Amino acid sequence: MHTYRIGDAAALLGVSADTVRRLVDGGKLTAERDEQGHRIIPGPALAAYARQVHRMERESVGSSARNRFSGIVTDVILGDVSAQVEIQAGPFRVVAMVSRESAEELKLEPGVPAAAVIKSTNVVVERP
């Protein structure tokens, strides 16, 4: 079974290590102690928590897309017909090409909140 240290779990969840410690202390996330006494989080427990949080977020939005990255717009490059929109969603940078009309209707500019919603039949899964 794969386990995660507090900092690694925080990076995967997109929160601070202190937040993960509070989740563990509050009983919302299971942790164990390793041989050195450090708290570690079992992979299945972290996955279950992440799934639970994602389901709560997804229930508030009616959509068939399952990949949703909420973040902040960091750059918009307007072309004659299209616009390149960059969103920083936690540790992830998402770049999308949308129509210029859509970018203008959504009033996309650096600093506004936005979500990259992705529905794709091609997704590559890698392991570090």
Side-chain angles (χ1 to χ4, degrees):
M1 172 179 62
H2 196 88
T3 59
Y4 296 89
R5 297 193 71 172
I6 295 287
D8 296 330
L12 290 170
L13 294 174
V15 298
S16 71
D18 285 338
T19 297
V20 173
R21 286 186 196 93
R22 284 192 294 275
L23 290 170
V24 170
D25 292 343
K28 295 181 179 177
L29 188 57
T30 304
E32 302 167 352
R33 298 272 180 185
D34 65 10
E35 299 82 28
Q36 292 80 31
H38 297 117
R39 289 195 277 192
I40 56 172
I41 300 169
L46 185 60
Y49 178 78
R51 206 170 25 253
Q52 174 189 0
V53 169
H54 176 70
R55 282 194 180 119
M56 289 171 28
E57 289 175 359
R58 195 175 69 209
E59 288 173 1
S60 65
V61 177
S63 175
S64 65
R66 295 294 177 242
N67 303 299
R68 181 179 185 81
F69 300 95
S70 296
I72 185 170
V73 175
T74 55
D75 196 19
V76 178
I77 300 171
L78 295 174
D80 292 337
V81 177
S82 63
Q84 178 178 310
V85 180
E86 185 175 308
I87 298 172
Q88 190 68 37
F92 305 106
R93 176 179 170 253
V94 180
V95 179
M97 293 299 293
V98 300
S99 70
R100 180 184 178 120
E101 180 180 8
S102 294
E104 290 172 342
E105 283 179 9
L106 292 170
K107 297 182 172 86
L108 296 178
E109 61 184 31
V112 301
V117 181
I118 302 162
K119 185 168 184 159
S120 176
T121 56
N122 280 337
V123 176
V124 176
V125 176
E126 298 177 340
R127 286 193 62 183

